[in-house]
Amino acid sequence: MTTREECAALDAADPLAALRGEFALPEGVLYLDGNSLGALPKGTAARVAGMVEREWGQGLIRSWNDAGWFGMPHRLGERLSPMLGAAAGQVVVCDSTSVNLFKVLGAAMRLRPGRRTLLAEHAAFPTDLYITEGVTGLFDGARTVLLPRAADLGEHLGEDTAVVVLSHVDYRTGELLDMAAITEQVHAAGALMVWDLCHTAGALPIELDACDVDFAVGCGYKYLNGGPGAPAFLYAAHRHQASAAQPLSGWFGHARPFAFEPSYAPTEGIGRFLTGTPPLLGMAGLDAALDVWEKADLAQVRATSLALTDLFLELVEPLGLESVTPREHALRGSHVSLRHPEGYAVMQALIARGVIGDFRAPDLMRFGFTPLYLSRTDVFDAVRHLAEVLESGEWREERFSRRGAVT
């Protein structure tokens, strides 16, 4: 069993160790929930305050030009592109993940006229499924078919399949899917592939272009550390942009937005996926977070992530908890989920000790591993707290079973 001293030695040699100082982490907190909400980069407060006080407060409406507000969706998209394996002109930052998913699914369905089936996984994050229902409701005869598992995709692909949407990493189990192989399988059936990257953007290298992906969406507030409600991103491959017609045709996607014409004419390129006025304060937070990412090697982030999750799985094994997360590196994202029948109460007891993870119904405790600010000694200490909570039975205290609005 790895010792705390060995963890400390490995931490000292980790090339990412210096980046921990880029984050404003509360004293005494072990934060293992960056897969749900990333930690605060130290530069974010000043960046957002600067937009509020100088660009908005002093520049006022002039800042749309003078401070470059108008071009921020594109500029942030270009900053994100290398992390996603996307060439220039294919990524834009705008709206929320749900809204962006609606846009790309609507566009994809229109690109496959005559086909009426949209495939999604039953265990997908619920908003993805709700959005598929909304999209198929716009097309006569269209339907959403839910796969029992992503592995069952081949049994359901057919001549009527228009689009497949899957999460790159399962938000419950942490299972990582093979993007290249699945995309190729979908294309062989004549359908289009949409990926939800919420649990992989910033956690591991992604190769959207190399995998021939059609469309993708993802959020800015998990591993990317853009802040609560940070705007999401959207990817559309160059080959689809000229013919793609997304259903939320707002003025920021217009070819001439300040001509104020009464009918819609989409702009060229990725900009046609924009809709309304961008959430600039949220974009400022994401912009500051990307400053940190420019100092990080994403391949090293992935290597350290695997080392942290390996360590966690090793240390929790004596506790007798079932892990639903694959042990194989090629099948694992950057969080680990452990099953316990009273997982909610156990997690609340951990949080009371300053060990912050989260819970997903009905019985999964999730622990996220974010190498930019989480160390091996943090992991060692978190498991020690978990062992003490289970051994003492303190999680049985009534206060830990009371549920808030957000679980």
Side-chain angles (χ1 to χ4, degrees):
M1 190 71 68
T2 303
T3 66
R4 195 177 192 281
E5 291 71 24
E6 290 170 331
C7 289
L10 290 168
D11 286 339
D14 194 308
L16 298 175
L19 291 177
R20 183 168 185 160
E22 300 281 344
F23 293 88
L25 292 161
E27 190 69 30
V29 168
L30 301 176
Y31 192 60
L32 282 78
D33 206 11
N35 56 303
S36 191
L37 174 65
L40 171 67
K42 289 180 177 177
T44 298
R47 177 69 181 91
V48 174
M51 177 173 282
V52 172
E53 296 167 4
R54 294 188 301 275
E55 297 177 15
W56 176 16
Q58 300 300 316
L60 297 168
I61 200 167
R62 294 170 294 186
S63 288
W64 281 105
N65 291 315
D66 296 348
W69 286 358
F70 188 74
M72 278 195 79
H74 291 278
R75 184 168 67 83
L76 293 185
E78 293 306 299
R79 295 192 75 185
L80 273 172
S81 291
M83 299 178 68
L84 305 175
Q90 297 179 107
V91 180
V92 70
V93 171
C94 56
D95 303 310
S96 68
T97 305
S98 297
V99 171
N100 285 340
L101 185 60
F102 184 85
K103 290 189 282 190
V104 299
L105 288 178
M109 289 291 290
R110 288 173 170 175
L111 288 171
R112 288 295 181 267
R115 293 179 174 230
R116 287 294 180 263
T117 299
L118 194 162
L119 297 180
E121 189 179 9
H122 184 273
F125 192 76
T127 197
D128 289 16
L129 305 182
Y130 306 156
I131 293 297
T132 65
E133 291 180 14
V135 169
T136 54
L138 300 177
F139 297 86
D140 289 341
R143 60 175 185 153
T144 297
V145 173
L146 299 184
L147 308 170
R149 302 170 306 150
D152 300 318
L153 176 62
E155 300 173 20
H156 293 80
L157 281 170
E159 294 182 356
D160 193 52
T161 306
V163 185
V164 176
V165 56
L166 293 172
S167 294
H168 197 194
V169 159
D170 187 302
Y171 81 103
R172 285 194 176 98
T173 68
E175 180 184 1
L176 173 66
L177 298 183
D178 187 332
M179 177 180 286
I182 291 175
T183 301
E184 182 179 11
Q185 182 182 18
V186 169
H187 286 171
L192 296 176
M193 186 69 220
V194 176
W195 286 99
D196 180 336
L197 307 178
C198 284
H199 286 275
T200 45
L204 51 88
I206 300 170
E207 297 293 341
L208 293 177
D209 286 352
C211 293
D212 205 27
V213 170
D214 299 295
F215 299 97
V217 298
C219 70
Y221 52 81
K222 291 183 172 66
Y223 295 103
L224 294 177
N225 308 304
F233 63 85
L234 179 156
Y235 164 91
H238 278 306
R239 63 185 178 278
H240 295 310
Q241 291 177 11
S243 53
Q246 62 104 342
L248 296 179
S249 47
W251 76 307
F252 260 65
H254 196 283
R256 297 167 296 279
F258 290 94
F260 301 110
E261 298 168 354
S263 60
Y264 185 71
T267 190
E268 294 182 357
I270 191 67
R272 66 179 50 204
F273 284 90
L274 295 174
T275 299
T277 306
L280 289 163
L281 295 180
M283 288 193 163
L286 180 57
D287 197 24
L290 293 178
D291 290 344
V292 180
W293 279 106
E294 289 187 347
K295 304 173 186 178
D297 180 334
L298 198 51
Q300 183 59 54
V301 169
R302 175 59 170 166
T304 301
S305 163
L306 291 171
L308 293 174
T309 47
D310 280 343
L311 175 65
F312 183 78
L313 288 166
E314 173 199 337
L315 295 176
V316 299
E317 190 166 4
L319 304 183
L321 297 171
E322 178 192 355
S323 170
V324 300
T325 302
R327 288 185 175 269
E328 300 93 330
H329 286 183
L331 301 179
R332 187 196 311 162
S334 201
H335 73 267
V336 174
S337 294
L338 303 177
R339 178 165 281 143
H340 189 285
E342 298 295 335
Y344 179 81
V346 174
M347 183 57 72
Q348 296 310 302
L350 278 173
I351 291 172
R353 286 170 166 251
V355 181
I356 302 179
D358 67 14
F359 171 79
R360 289 294 177 261
D363 58 2
L364 293 180
M365 299 182 291
R366 294 195 314 175
F367 299 87
F369 298 88
T370 46
L372 297 190
Y373 51 83
L374 192 71
S375 68
R376 291 166 180 82
T377 51
D378 289 336
V379 174
F380 186 96
D381 292 344
V383 175
R384 176 177 55 81
H385 281 288
L386 176 58
E388 291 175 1
V389 165
L390 294 172
E391 184 178 354
S392 69
E394 64 195 70
W395 59 267
R396 293 186 174 90
E397 295 179 30
E398 193 274 336
R399 61 185 173 127
F400 296 135
S401 64
R402 292 194 292 267
R403 302 205 178 197
V406 177
T407 60

